[in-house]
Amino acid sequence: MTRVGLLDDEKRIYFTAHVAIDPRHSRELSDGMRMQRPRLAPDEINDIVYGAHLASETGRRQFDRMLGFLRAIPTENAA
């Protein structure tokens, strides 16, 4: 991430979390960025980071919506 200019911890957090959650996909993503030829321009890197933030926010919203749905299920007969 450092080589391609991702130095800001706020921008790196998605990728750091991704390594813990899905190491195989994370490796593929990192390899794709690292081996990109020609090298990625700064605006292309920004687009990748923006997309990562969108994906992260989408996942958070999906989780929050599902959590609300699950909490609404009656539990009186739960095992």
Side-chain angles (χ1 to χ4, degrees), residues 1-7 33-34 40-42 45:
M1 290 188 297
T2 300
R3 187 187 70 74
V4 297
L6 294 176
L7 305 175
M33 287 181 67
R34 190 175 65 254
L40 294 169
I45 293 170

Side-chain angles (χ1 to χ4, degrees), residues 51-66:
H53 281 272
L54 288 176
S56 179
E57 177 64 13
T58 299
R60 184 193 65 78
R61 287 182 182 196
Q62 182 181 19
F63 176 83
D64 287 349
R65 184 172 180 147
M66 184 56 71

Side-chain angles (χ1 to χ4, degrees), residues 2 9-10 20 23 31 36 40 43-45 47-48 55 69-70:
T2 300
D9 284 341
E10 270 193 42
D31 287 348
Q36 178 71 34
L40 294 169
D43 59 326
E44 292 171 313
I45 293 170
D47 287 345
I48 290 169
F69 172 77
L70 293 173

Side-chain angles (χ1 to χ4, degrees), residues 4-31:
V4 297
L6 294 176
L7 305 175
D8 183 339
D9 284 341
E10 270 193 42
K11 291 181 178 179
R12 293 170 76 125
I13 194 166
Y14 171 84
F15 298 98
T16 302
H18 206 118
V19 170
I21 295 168
D22 190 349
R24 180 178 172 195
H25 184 246
S26 179
R27 193 174 324 107
E28 291 169 351
L29 178 63
S30 297
D31 287 348

